[in-house]
Amino acid sequence: MHELGLCEDIVAAVERRANGRPVARYRVQVGRLHHVHPEAFEQSIEMAAAGGPAEGAVAELVLVPVRVQCTTCGERTEADELISACAACGSMDVELCGGEELMLEFIEYEGA
Ligand SMILES: [Zn+2]
């Protein structure tokens, strides 16, 4: 499960920001290029959070689509996987502009 390393990083970031406060809920945005599966994510978060202030907190996963912008026609294409051609004109001259995100969006604390 490659999700575990990623989830350890997420939980570490949550714990750093929580600074000892008990965490109730948090939301992370993860780009599709990290190839995170929601079920594996949940299990990995549980394992990573065990014994810490984020244990038992609800972790919301938001998967951010892969986005490329065509440098030929300017069209933006969204997809679940990395794509190498523009959906509008077929050009291979595309720039990656989304899908690599790994961001802690918010944290809610117990009793807040
Ligand atoms: Zn194009």
Side-chain angles (χ1 to χ4, degrees), residues 27-30 101-105:
R27 183 186 291 163
V28 283
Q29 293 189 12
V30 180
E101 293 81 356
L102 186 56
M103 200 186 83
L104 188 54
E105 195 181 323

Side-chain angles (χ1 to χ4, degrees), residues 69-75 77 85-91 93-94:
Q69 179 151 27
C70 178
T71 50
T72 304
C73 75
E75 184 75 18
T77 306
C86 171
C89 74
S91 168
D93 206 1
V94 291

